Amino acid sequence: MEWYGKLNDYFPEHEMKNPQQLKELIEEHDYYHKEETDDYVMLYADFPDFIFIDYLLVTSNTRGKGFGTKILDKLKEQGKMILLEAEPALPKDSDSKRRLQFYERNGFKKADLIRYTRRDEQDEPYSMHILYWSPAGMPQAIVKEMMELACDEIHNFRARRHYGRQLVDLDEALEWKQ
């Protein structure tokens, strides 16, 4: 699973799923897909009403050459809302800022009315942004509902088997900001 190594080298440790969980998602669910070329790796769920991008990595040798935009444009052609998670821009991590700018340039909006908090393996909380693209205006209430489904179907898929716990507690992870 060379693709897993590439993802693991790039994404923060607390964002990486167990490789066996990902393998089972790919093998057992028609809606969960892995695309891999020399230029990129993408894992995503294609639900009837939206697409959830779990991981998207454009390799370092092709980054900045339009591959990421082409990948997103191909998904946008389906005419469905696209959801993904992104870590907030961190002062000491220029990649986190570049990722957010990349998605903004490609028409993604931050679900700024929704607080999304996950917990790492040490049960420490960390915040993530929910980014979405929609061919038509989309109320954030719908974004939240779709994110809850993605969390339940993807992050929590056999989570107890692989981690001994649910990865996302839906009652506390997604909340409306006050």
Side-chain angles (χ1 to χ4, degrees):
M1 289 189 356
E2 185 179 329
W3 58 269
Y4 185 84
K6 290 177 185 177
L7 294 174
N8 198 41
D9 289 344
Y10 185 71
F11 287 95
E13 182 179 343
H14 62 270
E15 291 182 28
M16 287 303 300
K17 290 183 182 63
N18 178 298
Q20 187 61 35
Q21 180 192 25
L22 290 172
K23 184 176 185 252
E24 291 170 10
L25 273 164
I26 293 164
E27 290 174 353
E28 297 180 30
H29 288 291
D30 291 340
Y31 60 78
Y32 196 82
H33 308 280
K34 173 183 64 81
E35 290 185 13
E36 177 184 16
T37 71
D38 291 338
D39 300 319
Y40 73 93
V41 177
M42 180 172 60
L43 280 74
Y44 68 100
D46 190 352
F47 292 106
D49 297 324
F50 70 101
I51 296 168
F52 174 72
I53 300 174
D54 204 4
Y55 298 98
L56 174 58
L57 167 67
V58 176
T59 57
S60 59
N61 58 328
T62 55
R63 206 167 292 139
K65 297 180 181 174
F67 282 93
T69 296
K70 288 177 187 172
I71 294 163
L72 293 177
D73 287 348
K74 181 180 168 192
L75 292 175
K76 289 176 183 179
E77 288 174 3
Q78 294 188 37
K80 299 179 187 180
M81 183 170 71
I82 302 171
L83 281 177
L84 59 94
E85 306 161 331
E87 63 193 338
L90 304 170
K92 296 181 181 181
D93 180 7
S94 60
D95 279 346
S96 62
K97 184 177 180 180
R98 277 195 297 260
R99 273 191 291 275
L100 288 174
Q101 291 171 338
F102 164 75
Y103 287 114
E104 287 172 8
R105 279 193 315 271
N106 281 280
F108 282 75
K109 296 177 183 171
K110 191 183 309 178
D112 57 354
L113 301 177
I114 304 168
R115 182 179 299 112
Y116 182 40
T117 307
R118 302 267 310 264
R119 294 195 170 270
D120 65 17
E121 289 188 28
Q122 289 73 42
D123 204 33
E124 292 296 319
Y126 65 94
S127 295
M128 296 288 283
H129 291 307
I130 299 169
L131 303 179
Y132 67 99
W133 174 89
S134 177
M138 187 64 62
Q140 288 192 29
I142 302 296
V143 172
K144 185 176 180 283
E145 285 177 21
M146 291 179 172
M147 191 65 201
E148 288 171 348
L149 178 63
C151 287
D152 197 40
E153 293 289 321
I154 305 303
H155 297 323
N156 287 338
F157 173 76
R158 295 193 181 151
R160 292 202 189 280
R161 175 189 299 175
H162 296 291
Y163 310 99
R165 65 181 178 90
Q166 295 289 78
L167 283 184
V168 180
D169 180 339
L170 295 177
D171 291 330
E172 72 173 41
L174 294 156
E175 301 175 312
W176 292 109
K177 290 183 180 178
Q178 299 297 328

